Amino acid sequence: MENRKYRPREIEEKWQKRWEEQRTFNVTEDPGKKKYYLLEMFPYPSGKIHIGHVRNYTIGDVVARYKRMRGYNVLHPMGWDAFGMPAENAAIERGIHPSVWTNENIAHMRKQLKRMGFSYDWDREISTCEPEYYRWEQLFFLEMYEKDLVYKKRSAVNWCPQCRTVLANEQVEAGLCWRCSAVVEEQVLDQWFFRITNYVEELLRDCDKLTGWPERVLTMQQNWIGKSYGCEIAFPREDGNGAIRVFTTRQDTLYGATFMLVAAEHPLVTELAKGKPAEKQIRAFVENVRKQDRAVRTSESTEKEGVFLGSYCTNPVTGRKMPIYAANFVLADYGTGCVMAVPTHDQRDFEFAKKYGLPLVVVIQPPNRPLDPAAMTEAYVEEGILVNSGPFSGMENLKALEAIAAHLEKAGYGKKTVQYRLRDWGISRQRYWGAPIPIINCGKCGTVPVPEKDLPVVLPRDVAFTGEGGSPLAKHKAFVETACPRCGSPAQRETDTMDTFVESSWYFDRFCSPRYSVKPGLDRKKLDYWLPVDQYIGGIEHAILHLLYARFYTKALRDMGLLGVDEPFKNLLTQGMVCKESMRCTEHGYLFPEEAADGKCRKCGLEIVVGKTEKMSKSLRNVVDPDYLVEKYGADTARLFCLFAAPPEKDLEWSDQGIEGAFRFLSRTWRIVMDYLDDIYDIAPYRGPVSGNGQVLEGEIKELRRKTHQTIKRVTADIEDRFHFNTVISAVMELVNALYQIGRPAAGDRQALSVIRETIDAAVLLLSPIVPHFCEELWTMLGHGQGVADSAWPAFDPAVASEEEITIVVQVNGKVRSRVTVSAGEEEARIKTLARTDGKIAKLITGKELVKEIYVPNKLVNIVVRGNT
């Protein structure tokens, strides 16, 4: 026999080459097979994959390989979200064109991904920065423009006067430009928008259809859409110039409104301040607020600040004269940008009123104690009985909401309305490395769409990157200057490019027909076969914008007749982060793992300070290089550890001991197979009965076969129902241990050896989605002609797997909430896991703090959590 030592690098390179040569994972539509579309969020080509990528893509690869073995026609593609600022920054810093930098990174990362053995159909690879991709995006833009889903308006943006470019909110740090530290200004520019608000009700309503999404993500989406029922109320201005309109969901507190707050950046502030003695002071306040981070401004802990605008309005129901203030904690794009302040029943208003000596009027009294405004130390925000509220005094405040709304409508002071937090999607970016917006500006004809025959509008290559003066496109004469397609007059191209979220809002559609080169760039027949994506996998950081935009884009393309689905992703898994402790040297700062040894800095020998465990990041240098892991241990070991250390949805804490342990398990499994290989090579797996006319199998061999079928059952359920790969691996480890613990059968005991053969075959098949190279090699050495990737998933025999079962009662905080059935003798940890992941129980405890778990053997599990259930 050939040398049987486990050599990961040799084995992995061998099977990666074979899969590529045989095009093992390439797929086409097959109406005779059930499809399964598995997709991980495609990466930005930053240069190298990190361990977070490895974890994310390994999770997806296990599911893809498992479904393939279950007989599904699996689509598992990979591509590149290739536009974005980092490439443009690299062009500025290194004097290299963004496309060169991007494509070099893609080549390197593609090599890394292939080295991990992921089962991608590489024939479907796409890169969003290629004209072959964004030409169709430009076509969609034109069709949306025709359907009034695209429009242009003037909008406030963050502007760096030194770089002379627009900055995204995340590029403004403490009011300064992240690149040059210049003070960021607010400017009003013409910006393009997608009318996502046209779909606001459908986006909200269809959240109910997404039963395969985490509740946390759905809540985040619903909150971002932010549907609110309330009233729009007009407060007449004292100067007679109309009224200030506010939106409120608390019209029950209207009688307690004593002053008006306006967002500092609201145009009304400039209007009211003009010519006033305090105009200069007001302008200074506004400029200061504009530099503040939005999240900080609205934080409960931020000090409430404001400035009196020298103007008043009138409370329409009390006639009270209300001073108008600009305030730092009110945002212009929420509601109307103006807020009626009720200091006795809103904590932020209370703090503001106390600071500036503004009046307090109680309009909701608690049932058990009277409130004295002079004695209040905080706002009363609970339910109660209305007082000082005219004809509504004496009513329960919540029951008065409808009555007050009707009164306002009848009196002409306001109207019932619904508002949404969601705003239209601004897609204009004043930068080069993005998809050009296909619009021409003509002095005679105005805004003119680029004719379809002239698509794609391609980014010019001969541009200069200086980092100053805005987008290089605006200075590129040959690009900008063109002729109007309507009248032939000299005209200028739009020099804004599209937000990179646009590319990621339809890439999953393009994967279905990536080489389709005729209008509309999407082969409807192929899309009808593959869509929707059956399982989408990515980080929680994309829970709002990317997923919301992808949902909107899907609905827009559906209404153009290009798609036949309402939602893009049937099921969603948001994997946890990869975390590691940081190490710091007092002399050299944060250290990479390889820069420390034995608790000391390799550079200077000083003792290192071990920090807390945090998300891996380049800034903390607590990162692990996947290439290093692959070189030292092999890709399969890295894959195994990433799945064994924690369930997919939980954070993974990196452990050097854990990676060593994963390698030891593979080596141990390899040795037991090699140990039995000669004895079982020509023996078929056992397929006989457990018992017949007398016992066919006895003792430990019988128990080994039972353990084998129980393991198949357990592993199948853990993948199929929960994606709990950590318990999958644990179950196979137990099976391998059982194999080690039995006495070695005599060489001639073919029946016992056939059971061992069945066990080894099963273990290899069960591990194959997780450590595919390792298992392909063992499967071949065991004499199978067909590769393990093309083999069927093992089936368990219920009769063989069965043993006495018991019912465990599951309580939450002492109340019976469910029951689970387990095998007699099941481990306590396993029973607790089954109890926590039971469908009824999971809903009750998700998001709550787990205090303890009480297990009464063979009877019950009581899960104690904080909060009501």
Side-chain angles (χ1 to χ4, degrees), residues 203-456:
L203 288 167
L204 188 61
R205 183 182 66 245
D206 283 0
C207 284
D208 293 338
K209 296 181 180 179
L210 302 175
T211 55
W213 285 36
E215 194 63 37
R216 176 186 176 193
V217 174
L218 292 175
T219 299
M220 293 168 75
Q221 292 248 320
Q222 290 161 344
N223 289 343
W224 190 263
I225 293 169
K227 185 176 184 179
S228 300
Y229 295 90
C231 285
E232 185 180 277
I233 306 173
F235 291 74
R237 284 169 52 173
E238 186 186 46
D239 59 14
N241 292 324
I244 296 176
R245 296 188 175 276
V246 304
F247 172 79
T248 180
T249 59
R250 295 298 309 277
Q251 60 268 26
D252 57 321
T253 65
L254 175 58
Y255 284 81
T258 58
F259 56 95
M260 179 66 64
L261 297 174
V262 183
E265 62 271 39
H266 196 292
L268 183 61
V269 173
T270 303
E271 178 188 337
L272 294 179
K274 191 173 182 179
K276 300 283 177 33
E279 182 176 4
K280 186 176 181 180
Q281 176 193 352
I282 293 169
R283 288 186 179 277
F285 174 79
V286 169
E287 289 305 313
N288 182 57
V289 171
R290 281 176 170 167
K291 296 172 187 177
Q292 297 174 8
D293 183 86
R294 289 166 60 90
V296 173
R297 283 174 61 182
T298 56
S299 170
E300 291 183 4
S301 60
T302 299
E303 184 179 358
K304 311 304 179 282
E305 296 178 336
V307 60
F308 178 48
L309 300 179
S311 298
Y312 296 85
C313 61
T314 302
N315 187 317
V317 294
T318 66
R320 175 185 287 273
K321 184 178 178 180
M322 298 169 56
I324 306 171
Y325 281 75
N328 66 336
F329 60 93
V330 180
L331 301 179
D333 59 358
Y334 189 76
T336 65
C338 303
V339 174
M340 67 172 200
V342 185
T344 48
H345 304 294
D346 181 278
Q347 185 59 30
R348 297 189 306 175
D349 296 348
F350 179 85
E351 293 172 19
F352 192 92
K354 285 291 187 180
K355 181 171 183 176
Y356 294 102
L358 296 166
L360 282 70
V361 175
V362 172
V363 291
I364 302 177
Q365 287 282 11
N368 56 349
R369 58 186 173 90
L371 292 177
D372 177 3
M376 291 178 72
T377 58
E378 62 181 1
Y380 177 73
V381 296
E382 305 300 326
E383 298 175 24
I385 305 299
L386 290 183
V387 295
N388 302 319
S389 298
F392 307 102
S393 294
M395 293 182 68
E396 294 178 26
N397 71 301
L398 295 184
K399 291 182 178 179
L401 286 168
E402 185 63 28
I404 293 176
H407 171 71
L408 291 171
E409 284 197 320
K410 184 176 180 180
Y413 300 145
K415 60 181 180 180
K416 288 188 286 187
T417 188
V418 175
Q419 279 215 353
Y420 301 90
R421 182 183 179 213
L422 182 66
R423 296 291 181 263
D424 282 337
W425 174 9
I427 65 162
S428 288
R429 297 295 181 268
Q430 290 71 29
R431 60 177 180 240
Y432 167 80
W433 196 234
I437 292 176
I439 290 292
I440 292 171
N441 299 303
C442 173
K444 296 180 179 178
C445 304
T447 300
V448 182
V450 171
E452 284 185 21
K453 65 181 180 61
D454 295 336
L455 296 181

Side-chain angles (χ1 to χ4, degrees), residues 344-609:
T344 48
H345 304 294
D346 181 278
Q347 185 59 30
R348 297 189 306 175
D349 296 348
F350 179 85
E351 293 172 19
F352 192 92
K354 285 291 187 180
K355 181 171 183 176
Y356 294 102
L358 296 166
L360 282 70
V361 175
V362 172
V363 291
I364 302 177
Q365 287 282 11
N368 56 349
R369 58 186 173 90
L371 292 177
D372 177 3
M376 291 178 72
T377 58
E378 62 181 1
Y380 177 73
V381 296
E382 305 300 326
E383 298 175 24
I385 305 299
L386 290 183
V387 295
N388 302 319
S389 298
F392 307 102
S393 294
M395 293 182 68
E396 294 178 26
N397 71 301
L398 295 184
K399 291 182 178 179
L401 286 168
E402 185 63 28
I404 293 176
H407 171 71
L408 291 171
E409 284 197 320
K410 184 176 180 180
Y413 300 145
K415 60 181 180 180
K416 288 188 286 187
T417 188
V418 175
Q419 279 215 353
Y420 301 90
R421 182 183 179 213
L422 182 66
R423 296 291 181 263
D424 282 337
W425 174 9
I427 65 162
S428 288
R429 297 295 181 268
Q430 290 71 29
R431 60 177 180 240
Y432 167 80
W433 196 234
I437 292 176
I439 290 292
I440 292 171
N441 299 303
C442 173
K444 296 180 179 178
C445 304
T447 300
V448 182
V450 171
E452 284 185 21
K453 65 181 180 61
D454 295 336
L455 296 181
V457 178
V458 178
L459 285 171
R461 292 293 301 267
D462 54 334
V463 292
F465 297 93
T466 64
E468 297 182 1
S471 168
L473 281 181
K475 297 180 179 179
H476 194 283
K477 186 176 180 181
F479 177 82
V480 175
E481 294 183 358
T482 186
C484 174
R486 285 185 185 163
C487 69
S489 299
Q492 291 78 42
R493 289 192 188 279
E494 174 65 69
T495 58
D496 284 357
T497 53
M498 292 193 222
D499 179 9
T500 55
F501 274 122
V502 180
E503 283 82 61
S504 60
S505 292
W506 71 283
Y507 77 105
F508 42 87
D509 301 325
R510 183 65 175 167
F511 273 139
C512 297
S513 54
R515 307 294 171 250
Y516 196 65
S517 59
V518 297
K519 181 182 178 179
L522 299 173
D523 186 329
R524 178 63 188 269
K525 186 176 180 181
K526 293 179 185 295
L527 269 67
D528 284 347
Y529 177 81
W530 289 115
L531 292 178
V533 174
D534 293 282
Q535 183 65 60
Y536 199 37
I537 302 172
I540 192 69
E541 66 272 18
H542 300 295
I544 298 177
L545 294 184
H546 162 57
L547 293 173
L548 190 64
Y549 292 156
R551 295 180 61 215
F552 156 69
Y553 217 80
T554 295
K555 295 175 188 300
L557 295 184
R558 174 205 62 195
D559 289 349
M560 295 178 199
L562 305 182
L563 303 179
V565 296
D566 297 326
E567 290 287 342
F569 313 120
K570 184 178 179 181
N571 297 290
L572 174 69
L573 172 67
T574 53
Q575 89 281 356
M577 300 181 295
V578 181
C579 305
K580 191 180 189 301
E581 61 190 15
S582 60
M583 295 180 292
R584 196 172 187 279
C585 170
T586 54
E587 179 70 22
H588 295 99
Y590 287 110
L591 302 175
F592 288 110
E594 61 270 19
E595 295 176 331
D598 300 322
K600 294 184 178 181
C601 174
R602 287 182 181 272
K603 298 177 181 179
C604 63
L606 291 176
E607 294 283 337
I608 61 171
V609 178

